Amino acid sequence: MSADTIDHGTLSRLVEPGAIKGAHVVGQSGGWAIVVKYGMIERPLTTQRSEQVRLFRKFETLVSYLKEIGIAHFDVDAANYAPDT
């Protein structure tokens, strides 16, 4: 994992003790990304294998993912969202 990103395993470990201070869902071309805040740091969620920013094609999938790991409150920025182009 890059020092500028966060992966699923690390995110899951930080959610358990309540270290995550916020989650920001950002619309992009083709889907949705997640930026999480812990302490004074904000990092995008990446895939574990490629370390690329994880992009969720369906908003419903992203919501299910966040709720499953314990994040039920987040904000959404859809300004740059564009379905598959």
Coordinates of all heavy atoms in Angstrom, one line a residue:
M1 N 0.8 -1.2 0.0 CA 0.0 0.0 0.0 C 0.9 1.2 0.0 O 1.8 1.3 0.8 CB -0.9 0.0 1.2 CG -1.8 1.2 1.3 SD -2.9 1.2 2.8 CE -1.8 1.6 4.0
S2 N 0.5 2.2 -0.8 CA 1.2 3.5 -0.9 C 0.9 4.3 0.4 O -0.1 4.1 1.0 CB 0.8 4.2 -2.1 OG 1.2 5.6 -2.1
A3 N 1.8 5.1 0.8 CA 1.6 6.0 1.9 C 0.5 7.0 1.7 O -0.1 7.5 2.6 CB 2.9 6.7 2.3
D4 N 0.1 7.2 0.4 CA -0.9 8.2 0.1 C -2.3 7.6 -0.1 O -3.2 8.2 -0.6 CB -0.5 9.0 -1.2 CG 0.8 9.8 -0.9 OD1 1.0 10.2 0.2 OD2 1.5 10.0 -1.9
T5 N -2.4 6.3 0.1 CA -3.7 5.6 -0.1 C -4.0 4.7 1.1 O -3.2 4.5 2.0 CB -3.6 4.7 -1.4 OG1 -2.6 3.7 -1.2 CG2 -3.3 5.5 -2.6
I6 N -5.2 4.1 1.0 CA -5.6 3.1 2.0 C -6.3 1.9 1.3 O -7.0 2.1 0.4 CB -6.5 3.8 3.1 CG1 -6.8 2.9 4.3 CG2 -7.8 4.2 2.4 CD1 -7.4 3.6 5.4
D7 N -6.0 0.7 1.8 CA -6.7 -0.5 1.2 C -7.8 -1.0 2.1 O -7.9 -0.5 3.2 CB -5.7 -1.5 0.8 CG -4.9 -2.1 2.0 OD1 -5.4 -2.0 3.1 OD2 -3.9 -2.7 1.8
H8 N -8.5 -2.0 1.6 CA -9.6 -2.5 2.4 C -9.2 -3.0 3.8 O -9.9 -2.8 4.8 CB -10.3 -3.7 1.6 CG -11.3 -4.4 2.4 ND1 -12.6 -3.9 2.7 CD2 -11.2 -5.6 3.0 CE1 -13.2 -4.8 3.4 NE2 -12.4 -5.8 3.6
G9 N -8.1 -3.8 3.8 CA -7.7 -4.3 5.1 C -7.4 -3.3 6.1 O -7.8 -3.4 7.3
T10 N -6.7 -2.3 5.7 CA -6.4 -1.2 6.7 C -7.6 -0.4 7.1 O -7.8 -0.1 8.2 CB -5.3 -0.2 6.0 OG1 -4.2 -1.0 5.6 CG2 -4.9 0.9 7.0
L11 N -8.5 -0.1 6.1 CA -9.7 0.6 6.4 C -10.6 -0.2 7.4 O -11.1 0.3 8.4 CB -10.5 0.8 5.1 CG -11.9 1.5 5.3 CD1 -11.8 2.8 6.0 CD2 -12.6 1.6 3.9
S12 N -10.7 -1.5 7.2 CA -11.5 -2.4 8.1 C -10.9 -2.3 9.5 O -11.6 -2.2 10.5 CB -11.5 -3.8 7.6 OG -12.1 -3.9 6.4
R13 N -9.6 -2.3 9.6 CA -8.9 -2.3 11.0 C -9.1 -0.9 11.6 O -9.2 -0.8 12.8 CB -7.5 -2.6 10.9 CG -7.2 -4.1 10.6 CD -5.7 -4.4 10.7 NE -4.9 -3.8 9.8 CZ -4.6 -4.1 8.6 NH1 -5.2 -5.2 8.1 NH2 -3.8 -3.5 7.8
L14 N -9.2 0.1 10.8 CA -9.4 1.5 11.4 C -10.8 1.7 11.8 O -11.1 2.5 12.7 CB -8.9 2.5 10.4 CG -7.4 2.6 10.2 CD1 -7.1 3.6 9.1 CD2 -6.7 3.1 11.5
V15 N -11.8 1.1 11.1 CA -13.2 1.3 11.4 C -13.5 0.7 12.8 O -14.2 1.3 13.6 CB -14.1 0.7 10.3 CG1 -15.6 0.6 10.8 CG2 -14.0 1.5 9.1
E16 N -13.0 -0.5 13.1 CA -13.3 -1.2 14.3 C -13.1 -0.3 15.6 O -14.0 -0.2 16.4 CB -12.5 -2.5 14.4 CG -13.0 -3.5 13.4 CD -12.1 -4.8 13.4 OE1 -11.3 -4.9 14.4 OE2 -12.3 -5.6 12.5
P17 N -11.9 0.4 15.8 CA -11.8 1.2 17.0 C -12.4 2.6 16.9 O -12.2 3.4 17.7 CB -10.3 1.2 17.2 CG -9.7 1.1 15.8 CD -10.7 0.2 15.1
G18 N -13.0 2.9 15.7 CA -13.6 4.2 15.6 C -12.6 5.3 15.1 O -12.9 6.5 15.3
A19 N -11.6 4.9 14.5 CA -10.5 5.9 14.1 C -10.9 6.6 12.8 O -10.4 7.7 12.6 CB -9.2 5.1 13.8
I20 N -11.9 6.1 12.0 CA -12.3 6.8 10.8 C -13.2 8.0 11.2 O -14.2 7.8 11.9 CB -13.1 5.9 9.9 CG1 -12.2 4.7 9.4 CG2 -13.7 6.6 8.7 CD1 -11.0 5.1 8.6
K21 N -12.8 9.2 10.8 CA -13.5 10.4 11.2 C -14.6 10.8 10.1 O -15.4 11.7 10.3 CB -12.6 11.6 11.4 CG -11.5 11.3 12.5 CD -12.2 11.0 13.8 CE -11.2 10.7 14.9 NZ -11.7 10.1 16.0
G22 N -14.4 10.2 8.9 CA -15.4 10.6 7.8 C -15.1 9.8 6.6 O -14.0 9.4 6.4
A23 N -16.1 9.8 5.7 CA -15.9 9.2 4.4 C -16.6 10.1 3.4 O -17.7 10.6 3.6 CB -16.6 7.8 4.3
H24 N -15.9 10.3 2.3 CA -16.4 11.2 1.2 C -16.4 10.4 0.0 O -15.4 9.8 -0.5 CB -15.3 12.4 1.1 CG -15.7 13.4 0.2 ND1 -16.8 14.2 0.4 CD2 -15.2 13.8 -1.0 CE1 -16.9 15.1 -0.7 NE2 -15.9 14.9 -1.5
V25 N -17.6 10.3 -0.6 CA -17.8 9.6 -1.9 C -17.7 10.6 -3.0 O -18.4 11.6 -3.0 CB -19.2 8.9 -1.9 CG1 -19.5 8.2 -3.2 CG2 -19.2 7.9 -0.8
V26 N -16.9 10.3 -4.0 CA -16.6 11.3 -5.1 C -17.0 10.6 -6.4 O -16.4 9.6 -6.8 CB -15.1 11.7 -5.1 CG1 -14.8 12.7 -6.2 CG2 -14.7 12.2 -3.7
G27 N -17.9 11.3 -7.1 CA -18.2 10.8 -8.5 C -17.2 11.1 -9.5 O -16.5 12.2 -9.4
Q28 N -16.9 10.2 -10.4 CA -15.9 10.4 -11.4 C -16.5 9.8 -12.7 O -17.6 9.2 -12.7 CB -14.7 9.6 -11.0 CG -14.0 10.0 -9.8 CD -12.8 9.2 -9.5 OE1 -12.3 8.4 -10.3 NE2 -12.2 9.4 -8.3
S29 N -15.8 9.9 -13.7 CA -16.2 9.3 -15.0 C -16.2 7.8 -14.8 O -15.2 7.2 -14.4 CB -15.2 9.6 -16.1 OG -15.6 9.0 -17.3
G30 N -17.4 7.2 -14.9 CA -17.5 5.7 -14.8 C -17.8 5.1 -13.5 O -18.0 3.9 -13.3
G31 N -17.9 6.0 -12.4 CA -18.2 5.4 -11.1 C -18.0 6.3 -10.0 O -17.9 7.5 -10.1
W32 N -17.8 5.7 -8.8 CA -17.7 6.4 -7.5 C -16.4 5.9 -6.8 O -16.1 4.7 -6.7 CB -18.9 6.1 -6.7 CG -20.2 6.5 -7.3 CD1 -21.0 5.6 -8.1 CD2 -20.8 7.7 -7.3 NE1 -22.0 6.3 -8.5 CE2 -22.0 7.6 -8.1 CE3 -20.5 9.0 -6.7 CZ2 -22.8 8.7 -8.3 CZ3 -21.3 10.0 -6.9 CH2 -22.5 9.9 -7.7
A33 N -15.7 6.9 -6.2 CA -14.5 6.5 -5.4 C -14.8 7.0 -4.0 O -15.7 7.7 -3.7 CB -13.3 7.3 -5.9
I34 N -14.0 6.4 -3.0 CA -14.1 6.8 -1.6 C -12.8 7.4 -1.1 O -11.8 6.9 -1.3 CB -14.4 5.5 -0.8 CG1 -15.7 4.8 -1.3 CG2 -14.5 5.9 0.7 CD1 -15.9 3.4 -0.6
V35 N -13.0 8.5 -0.4 CA -11.8 9.1 0.3 C -12.2 9.1 1.8 O -13.3 9.5 2.2 CB -11.6 10.6 -0.1 CG1 -10.5 11.2 0.7 CG2 -11.3 10.6 -1.6
V36 N -11.3 8.5 2.6 CA -11.6 8.4 4.0 C -10.7 9.3 4.8 O -9.6 9.6 4.4 CB -11.5 6.9 4.6 CG1 -12.5 6.0 4.0 CG2 -10.1 6.4 4.3
K37 N -11.2 9.8 6.0 CA -10.4 10.6 6.8 C -10.2 10.0 8.1 O -11.2 9.5 8.8 CB -11.2 12.0 7.0 CG -10.4 12.9 7.9 CD -11.1 14.3 8.0 CE -10.2 15.2 8.8 NZ -10.7 16.6 8.8
Y38 N -9.0 9.9 8.6 CA -8.7 9.4 9.9 C -7.6 10.3 10.5 O -6.6 10.6 9.8 CB -8.2 7.9 9.9 CG -7.1 7.5 8.9 CD1 -5.8 7.4 9.4 CD2 -7.3 7.4 7.6 CE1 -4.8 7.0 8.6 CE2 -6.3 7.0 6.7 CZ -5.0 6.9 7.3 OH -4.0 6.6 6.4
G39 N -7.9 10.8 11.7 CA -7.0 11.8 12.2 C -7.1 13.0 11.3 O -8.2 13.5 11.0
M40 N -5.9 13.6 11.0 CA -5.9 14.7 10.1 C -5.6 14.3 8.6 O -5.3 15.2 7.8 CB -4.8 15.7 10.6 CG -5.1 16.3 12.0 SD -6.6 17.2 12.1 CE -6.3 18.6 11.1
I41 N -5.6 13.0 8.3 CA -5.2 12.5 7.1 C -6.4 12.1 6.2 O -7.3 11.5 6.8 CB -4.3 11.3 7.3 CG1 -3.0 11.7 8.1 CG2 -3.9 10.7 5.9 CD1 -2.2 10.6 8.6
E42 N -6.4 12.4 4.9 CA -7.4 11.9 4.0 C -6.7 11.0 2.9 O -5.7 11.4 2.4 CB -8.1 13.0 3.3 CG -9.0 13.8 4.3 CD -9.9 14.8 3.5 OE1 -9.5 15.2 2.4 OE2 -10.9 15.2 4.1
R43 N -7.2 9.8 2.7 CA -6.6 8.9 1.7 C -7.7 8.3 0.9 O -8.8 7.9 1.4 CB -5.9 7.8 2.4 CG -4.7 8.3 3.3 CD -3.5 8.7 2.4 NE -2.4 9.0 3.2 CZ -1.9 10.2 3.4 NH1 -2.4 11.2 2.8 NH2 -0.8 10.4 4.1
P44 N -7.5 8.1 -0.4 CA -8.4 7.3 -1.2 C -8.3 5.8 -1.0 O -7.2 5.3 -0.8 CB -8.0 7.7 -2.7 CG -6.6 8.0 -2.6 CD -6.4 8.6 -1.2
L45 N -9.4 5.1 -1.1 CA -9.5 3.7 -1.0 C -8.9 3.1 -2.4 O -9.3 3.5 -3.4 CB -10.9 3.2 -0.8 CG -11.1 1.7 -0.7 CD1 -10.4 1.1 0.5 CD2 -12.5 1.3 -0.7
T46 N -8.0 2.1 -2.2 CA -7.5 1.5 -3.4 C -7.8 0.0 -3.4 O -8.1 -0.6 -2.4 CB -5.9 1.7 -3.5 OG1 -5.3 1.1 -2.4 CG2 -5.5 3.1 -3.6
T47 N -7.6 -0.6 -4.6 CA -7.7 -2.0 -4.7 C -6.4 -2.6 -4.0 O -5.4 -2.0 -4.0 CB -7.8 -2.5 -6.1 OG1 -6.6 -2.1 -6.8 CG2 -9.0 -2.0 -6.8
Q48 N -6.5 -3.8 -3.5 CA -5.4 -4.4 -2.8 C -4.3 -4.9 -3.7 O -3.1 -4.8 -3.4 CB -5.9 -5.6 -1.9 CG -6.7 -5.1 -0.7 CD -7.1 -6.2 0.2 OE1 -7.3 -7.3 -0.2 NE2 -7.4 -5.8 1.4
R49 N -4.7 -5.4 -4.9 CA -3.7 -5.9 -5.8 C -3.0 -4.9 -6.6 O -1.8 -4.9 -6.7 CB -4.4 -7.0 -6.7 CG -4.8 -8.2 -6.0 CD -5.3 -9.2 -6.9 NE -5.9 -10.3 -6.1 CZ -7.1 -10.8 -6.3 NH1 -7.9 -10.3 -7.3 NH2 -7.6 -11.8 -5.6
S50 N -3.7 -4.0 -7.2 CA -3.1 -3.0 -8.1 C -2.7 -1.7 -7.5 O -2.0 -0.9 -8.1 CB -4.0 -2.8 -9.4 OG -5.1 -2.1 -9.0
E51 N -3.3 -1.4 -6.3 CA -3.1 -0.1 -5.7 C -3.7 1.0 -6.5 O -3.3 2.2 -6.3 CB -1.7 0.1 -5.3 CG -1.2 -0.9 -4.2 CD 0.1 -0.5 -3.6 OE1 0.7 0.6 -3.9 OE2 0.7 -1.3 -2.9
Q52 N -4.6 0.7 -7.4 CA -5.3 1.8 -8.2 C -6.5 2.2 -7.3 O -7.0 1.4 -6.5 CB -5.8 1.2 -9.5 CG -4.7 0.8 -10.4 CD -3.8 2.0 -10.9 OE1 -4.3 3.0 -11.2 NE2 -2.5 1.8 -10.9
V53 N -6.9 3.4 -7.5 CA -8.1 3.9 -6.8 C -9.3 3.0 -7.1 O -9.5 2.7 -8.3 CB -8.5 5.4 -7.1 CG1 -9.8 5.8 -6.5 CG2 -7.4 6.3 -6.6
R54 N -10.0 2.5 -6.1 CA -11.1 1.6 -6.3 C -12.3 2.4 -6.8 O -12.7 3.4 -6.1 CB -11.4 0.8 -5.0 CG -12.6 -0.1 -5.2 CD -12.7 -1.1 -4.1 NE -13.8 -2.0 -4.5 CZ -14.3 -2.9 -3.6 NH1 -13.8 -3.0 -2.4 NH2 -15.3 -3.7 -4.0
L55 N -12.8 2.0 -7.9 CA -14.0 2.6 -8.5 C -15.2 1.7 -8.4 O -15.1 0.6 -8.9 CB -13.6 3.0 -9.9 CG -14.5 4.1 -10.6 CD1 -14.4 5.4 -9.8 CD2 -14.1 4.3 -12.0
F56 N -16.3 2.2 -7.8 CA -17.5 1.4 -7.8 C -18.4 1.9 -8.9 O -18.7 3.1 -9.0 CB -18.2 1.6 -6.4 CG -17.5 1.1 -5.3 CD1 -16.4 1.8 -4.7 CD2 -17.9 -0.1 -4.7 CE1 -15.8 1.3 -3.6 CE2 -17.2 -0.7 -3.6 CZ -16.1 0.0 -3.0
R57 N -18.8 1.0 -9.8 CA -19.7 1.4 -10.9 C -21.1 1.8 -10.5 O -21.7 2.7 -11.0 CB -19.7 0.3 -12.0 CG -18.4 0.1 -12.7 CD -18.5 -0.8 -13.9 NE -17.2 -1.0 -14.5 CZ -16.7 -0.2 -15.4 NH1 -17.4 0.9 -15.8 NH2 -15.6 -0.5 -16.0
K58 N -21.6 1.0 -9.5 CA -22.9 1.3 -9.0 C -22.9 1.9 -7.6 O -22.2 1.4 -6.7 CB -23.7 0.0 -8.9 CG -24.0 -0.7 -10.2 CD -24.8 -1.9 -10.1 CE -25.1 -2.6 -11.4 NZ -25.9 -3.8 -11.2
F59 N -23.6 3.0 -7.4 CA -23.7 3.6 -6.1 C -24.2 2.7 -5.0 O -23.7 2.7 -3.9 CB -24.6 4.9 -6.2 CG -24.5 5.8 -5.0 CD1 -23.4 6.6 -4.8 CD2 -25.6 5.8 -4.1 CE1 -23.4 7.4 -3.7 CE2 -25.5 6.6 -3.0 CZ -24.4 7.4 -2.7
E60 N -25.2 1.8 -5.4 CA -25.7 0.9 -4.4 C -24.7 -0.1 -3.9 O -24.7 -0.4 -2.7 CB -26.9 0.1 -5.0 CG -28.1 1.0 -5.4 CD -28.0 1.7 -6.7 OE1 -27.0 1.5 -7.5 OE2 -28.9 2.5 -7.0
T61 N -23.8 -0.5 -4.8 CA -22.7 -1.4 -4.3 C -21.8 -0.7 -3.4 O -21.4 -1.3 -2.4 CB -21.9 -1.9 -5.6 OG1 -22.8 -2.5 -6.5 CG2 -20.8 -2.9 -5.2
L62 N -21.5 0.6 -3.6 CA -20.6 1.4 -2.8 C -21.3 1.5 -1.4 O -20.6 1.3 -0.3 CB -20.4 2.7 -3.4 CG -19.5 3.7 -2.5 CD1 -18.6 4.4 -3.4 CD2 -20.3 4.6 -1.7
V63 N -22.6 1.9 -1.3 CA -23.3 2.0 -0.1 C -23.3 0.7 0.7 O -23.0 0.7 1.9 CB -24.7 2.5 -0.3 CG1 -25.5 2.5 1.0 CG2 -24.7 3.9 -0.9
S64 N -23.5 -0.4 0.0 CA -23.5 -1.7 0.7 C -22.1 -2.0 1.3 O -22.0 -2.5 2.4 CB -23.9 -2.8 -0.3 OG -25.2 -2.7 -0.6
Y65 N -21.1 -1.7 0.5 CA -19.7 -1.9 1.0 C -19.4 -1.1 2.2 O -18.9 -1.6 3.2 CB -18.7 -1.5 -0.1 CG -17.3 -1.5 0.3 CD1 -16.5 -2.7 0.4 CD2 -16.6 -0.3 0.7 CE1 -15.2 -2.7 0.9 CE2 -15.3 -0.3 1.1 CZ -14.6 -1.5 1.2 OH -13.3 -1.5 1.6
L66 N -19.7 0.2 2.2 CA -19.5 1.0 3.4 C -20.2 0.6 4.6 O -19.7 0.5 5.7 CB -19.8 2.5 3.1 CG -18.8 3.2 2.1 CD1 -19.3 4.6 1.8 CD2 -17.4 3.3 2.7
K67 N -21.5 0.3 4.4 CA -22.3 -0.2 5.6 C -21.8 -1.5 6.1 O -21.8 -1.7 7.3 CB -23.8 -0.3 5.2 CG -24.5 1.1 5.0 CD -25.9 0.9 4.6 CE -26.7 0.4 5.8 NZ -28.1 0.4 5.6
E68 N -21.4 -2.4 5.2 CA -20.8 -3.7 5.7 C -19.6 -3.6 6.6 O -19.4 -4.3 7.5 CB -20.5 -4.6 4.5 CG -20.1 -6.0 4.8 CD -19.9 -6.8 3.5 OE1 -20.9 -6.9 2.8 OE2 -18.8 -7.3 3.3
I69 N -18.7 -2.6 6.3 CA -17.5 -2.4 7.1 C -17.8 -1.5 8.3 O -16.9 -1.3 9.1 CB -16.3 -2.0 6.2 CG1 -16.5 -0.6 5.7 CG2 -15.9 -3.0 5.2 CD1 -15.3 0.0 5.0
G70 N -19.0 -0.9 8.4 CA -19.3 -0.1 9.6 C -19.3 1.4 9.4 O -19.3 2.1 10.3
I71 N -19.4 1.8 8.1 CA -19.5 3.3 7.9 C -20.9 3.5 7.3 O -21.2 3.2 6.2 CB -18.4 3.8 6.9 CG1 -17.0 3.5 7.5 CG2 -18.6 5.2 6.6 CD1 -15.9 3.8 6.5
A72 N -21.8 4.1 8.1 CA -23.2 4.4 7.7 C -23.4 5.8 7.3 O -24.4 6.1 6.7 CB -24.1 3.9 8.8
H73 N -22.5 6.7 7.7 CA -22.7 8.1 7.4 C -21.5 8.6 6.5 O -20.3 8.4 6.9 CB -22.7 9.0 8.7 CG -23.9 8.6 9.5 ND1 -25.2 9.0 9.3 CD2 -23.9 7.8 10.6 CE1 -26.0 8.5 10.2 NE2 -25.2 7.7 11.0
F74 N -21.8 9.3 5.4 CA -20.8 9.8 4.5 C -21.4 10.9 3.7 O -22.6 11.0 3.6 CB -20.2 8.6 3.6 CG -21.3 7.9 2.9 CD1 -21.7 8.3 1.7 CD2 -21.8 6.7 3.5 CE1 -22.7 7.5 1.0 CE2 -22.8 6.0 2.9 CZ -23.2 6.4 1.6
D75 N -20.5 11.7 3.1 CA -21.1 12.7 2.2 C -20.7 12.3 0.7 O -19.9 11.5 0.5 CB -20.6 14.1 2.5 CG -19.0 14.2 2.5 OD1 -18.4 13.4 1.9 OD2 -18.5 15.2 3.1
V76 N -21.5 13.0 -0.2 CA -21.3 12.6 -1.6 C -21.1 13.9 -2.4 O -21.8 14.9 -2.2 CB -22.6 11.9 -2.1 CG1 -22.6 11.6 -3.6 CG2 -22.9 10.7 -1.3
D77 N -20.1 13.8 -3.3 CA -19.9 14.9 -4.3 C -20.1 14.3 -5.7 O -19.3 13.5 -6.2 CB -18.4 15.3 -4.1 CG -18.0 16.4 -5.1 OD1 -18.9 16.8 -6.0 OD2 -16.9 16.9 -5.0
A78 N -21.2 14.6 -6.3 CA -21.6 14.1 -7.6 C -21.3 15.0 -8.7 O -21.6 14.8 -9.9 CB -23.0 13.7 -7.6
A79 N -20.6 16.1 -8.5 CA -20.3 17.2 -9.5 C -19.6 16.6 -10.7 O -19.9 17.0 -11.8 CB -19.5 18.3 -8.9
N80 N -18.7 15.7 -10.6 CA -17.9 15.2 -11.7 C -18.3 13.8 -12.1 O -17.7 13.2 -12.9 CB -16.4 15.2 -11.4 CG -15.9 16.6 -11.3 OD1 -16.3 17.5 -12.0 ND2 -15.0 16.9 -10.3
Y81 N -19.5 13.3 -11.6 CA -19.9 12.0 -11.9 C -20.4 11.9 -13.4 O -21.1 12.8 -13.8 CB -21.0 11.5 -11.0 CG -21.6 10.2 -11.4 CD1 -20.9 9.0 -11.3 CD2 -22.9 10.1 -12.0 CE1 -21.4 7.8 -11.8 CE2 -23.4 8.9 -12.5 CZ -22.7 7.8 -12.3 OH -23.2 6.6 -12.8
A82 N -20.0 10.9 -14.1 CA -20.5 10.7 -15.4 C -20.5 9.2 -15.6 O -19.6 8.5 -15.3 CB -19.6 11.3 -16.5
P83 N -21.7 8.6 -16.0 CA -21.8 7.2 -16.2 C -20.7 6.8 -17.3 O -20.1 7.7 -17.9 CB -23.2 6.9 -16.7 CG -23.9 8.2 -16.5 CD -22.9 9.3 -16.3
D84 N -20.5 5.5 -17.4 CA -19.6 5.0 -18.4 C -19.6 5.9 -19.7 O -20.7 6.1 -20.2 CB -19.8 3.6 -18.8 CG -19.5 2.6 -17.7 OD1 -18.6 3.0 -16.9 OD2 -20.1 1.6 -17.5
T85 N -18.4 6.3 -20.1 CA -18.4 7.2 -21.3 C -17.7 6.4 -22.4 O -16.9 5.5 -22.2 CB -17.6 8.5 -21.0 OG1 -16.4 8.2 -20.4 CG2 -18.4 9.3 -20.1

